[in-house]
Amino acid sequence: MPSLSTATDYFKAMHVASRKRITRYPAAAGSVLLSRFRYGIGPRLHSLFGLMDQPQETWKNYLLDENCRVVLRRVNQACHREIVNNKLAFYEHCLENGLDTIPVLCAVDNNASGVQQSGIIISSLDEWKMQLRHCQQSLFIKLIDGSWGKDAFSAQPSARGWQYCGYEGGLDEFYAFAMKRFQGQRGWMVQPRIHSHPDLDKISAPGVLATIRAVTCIVDGKPELLFATLRIPVGDNITDNFSHGSSGNITAPIDPTTGEIGVCRGSINKTWPEIVDVVFHPDTGNRIPGSRIPSWESIRDLLDRGQRSLPFLRTLGWDIAVTENGPLVVEANATYDVDVIQVSHQHGIGDVLNPWLEKIDGQFRS
């Protein structure tokens, strides 16, 4: 029943906003209702952004993902978005433009006409075995056109061949598992599992890649870095997706000038956002705020060159991995989410992003 579900959502938002104190319920109720009916920010996002504890005059600066995507799709036209939506085509683009990126060992693409990278595309078990028979490193397998880590999984070499998703077997079984898992999808790709720089490993779930989400924008022919956020894995997660707090991962703001990491944010509830400050990583116990992203100037340079290489995509959300050997492009997103940026920075970004979009699009229409 939608009406019951909606009523439940409002109750949950009021419960979180009140900090579970009865005396705060009237103010919490007023805050949640005002957020929805004056600013169009629903109860879940009221909790995610922690609006109860922010001055009302700042609420107008919060952007909603669905509204922002409308403008991003207009600014970054469909005919141009395919190069970043297709991860294999984007991989080729990175190679051709000297952008350091994660290698692709092999891929199954049911529409391979658009990708001609020699030796990458496979179409049989024999070719799979040929590509991976000497591989002794952990792997990460993901969809060519997937988002938010959908169906992605990791695999590790073992005495019997490979371990993945609770299974173990040789290359035959590994291939059959991947084909079944991705059945009905466009295709999938295999990459070596990349490890974060040791400095980042100290403030992340050990051995799991943490990435930077950076937003760049071209105005008057010059790329600008607007925002940067660090997405930090926690626990048994194999990806760093924040997923509005439901993943259990945490996120932290990055000073775009210095690369300094600020106070992290994360949800203590996976079913409804209850966002709190996180100073020490739950797994390592190490302090996060005050740390600095390694190779920050190299990252800024990579982002600058990456945005310049795609001038027809006027703004992009980049995912960047920082390794011991320097930064690597993971992917670029033409219709990126803004929620995780606003959660990590603890303020809306409309006052910064809207003017840039107005310069590009003529006017910002939500």
Side-chain angles (χ1 to χ4, degrees):
M1 296 177 60
S3 60
L4 179 59
S5 174
T6 300
T8 301
D9 286 354
Y10 279 96
F11 175 78
K12 290 177 179 177
M14 294 172 189
H15 189 60
V16 169
S18 70
R19 298 178 186 166
K20 306 173 185 178
R21 298 208 301 263
I22 294 177
T23 56
R24 284 173 55 94
Y25 258 79
S31 179
V32 172
L33 294 174
L34 183 67
S35 164
R36 174 65 184 88
F37 293 107
R38 178 176 293 183
Y39 296 93
I41 301 175
R44 183 176 287 272
L45 291 180
H46 183 281
S47 296
L48 184 70
F49 298 145
L51 296 186
M52 177 71 174
D53 299 316
Q54 298 192 38
Q56 184 185 326
E57 59 267 22
T58 67
W59 293 7
K60 64 181 183 296
N61 290 325
Y62 277 91
L63 299 179
L64 306 185
D65 275 336
E66 59 267 29
N67 292 344
C68 201
R69 289 193 196 104
V70 172
V71 178
L72 292 175
R73 290 191 184 102
R74 190 165 61 245
V75 167
N76 296 327
Q77 297 179 7
C79 60
H80 297 143
R81 294 198 300 265
E82 176 62 15
I83 195 169
V84 293
N85 291 343
N86 179 340
K87 293 179 174 60
L88 283 180
F90 182 64
Y91 173 68
E92 278 203 324
H93 174 85
C94 288
L95 295 181
E96 292 168 359
N97 288 273
L99 305 175
D100 292 334
T101 189
I102 302 173
V104 176
L105 303 180
C106 61
V108 172
D109 187 359
N110 298 318
N111 184 23
S113 60
V115 178
Q116 303 297 329
Q117 181 65 34
S118 176
I120 289 180
I121 304 299
I122 63 170
S123 57
S124 68
L125 174 60
D126 288 340
E127 290 176 341
W128 166 264
K129 289 182 175 179
M130 183 69 68
Q131 293 284 20
L132 297 181
R133 61 183 176 178
H134 299 306
C135 183
Q136 294 297 319
Q137 60 190 130
S138 296
L139 303 174
F140 192 75
I141 301 91
K142 63 183 182 182
L143 289 169
I144 289 173
D145 54 359
S147 301
W148 302 295
K150 181 179 182 294
D151 290 330
F153 68 98
S154 60
Q156 299 78 37
S158 70
R160 292 181 53 196
W162 293 89
Q163 290 181 336
Y164 44 88
C165 301
Y167 297 94
E168 186 172 13
L171 285 173
D172 299 60
E173 291 87 354
F174 188 0
Y175 183 72
F177 175 84
M179 290 292 286
K180 182 177 180 180
R181 187 179 182 91
F182 299 127
Q183 186 175 10
Q185 302 290 343
R186 170 174 177 167
W188 41 279
M189 52 198 286
V190 180
Q191 297 178 292
R193 189 168 182 180
I194 301 300
H195 296 284
S196 296
H197 188 284
D199 289 353
L200 293 183
D201 248 353
K202 295 176 182 177
I203 56 172
S204 175
V208 185
L209 186 66
T211 63
I212 295 167
R213 165 57 59 87
V215 172
T216 60
C217 189
I218 292 181
V219 175
D220 298 328
K222 180 183 176 182
E224 295 286 345
L225 172 59
L226 301 186
F227 310 101
T229 291
L230 181 64
R231 300 179 300 188
I232 305 174
V234 171
D236 296 328
N237 291 331
I238 65 169
T239 68
D240 59 1
N241 294 312
F242 185 66
S243 303
H244 297 93
S246 65
S247 65
N249 291 331
I250 56 180
T251 180
I254 302 172
D255 185 311
T257 302
T258 67
E260 183 173 343
I261 303 171
V263 175
C264 284
R265 305 281 281 168
S267 178
I268 58 175
N269 184 340
K270 290 188 176 183
T271 62
W272 188 270
E274 293 187 51
I275 306 297
V276 297
D277 289 347
V278 180
V279 176
F280 302 96
H281 192 276
D283 300 319
T284 67
N286 290 323
R287 182 182 176 88
I288 300 173
S291 304
R292 289 185 182 270
I293 301 292
S295 306
W296 185 245
E297 286 305 314
S298 296
I299 293 169
R300 287 181 59 92
D301 175 69
L302 181 60
L303 290 168
D304 183 89
R305 291 187 290 112
Q307 181 65 84
R308 288 181 188 276
S309 75
L310 295 163
F312 41 83
L313 293 171
R314 306 292 292 179
T315 179
L316 288 163
W318 298 84
D319 294 340
I320 303 293
V322 187
T323 73
E324 197 165 12
N325 296 317
L328 299 173
V329 173
V330 178
E331 59 185 59
N333 303 274
T335 52
Y336 50 83
D337 293 340
V338 294
D339 283 353
V340 68
I341 299 168
Q342 296 178 125
V343 171
S344 67
H345 287 268
Q346 299 187 54
H347 60 75
I349 61 173
D351 57 337
V352 175
L353 189 58
N354 281 353
W356 288 93
L357 289 171
E358 287 170 3
K359 290 179 182 180
I360 297 169
D361 192 42
Q363 65 178 15
F364 185 77
R365 293 173 294 175
S366 60

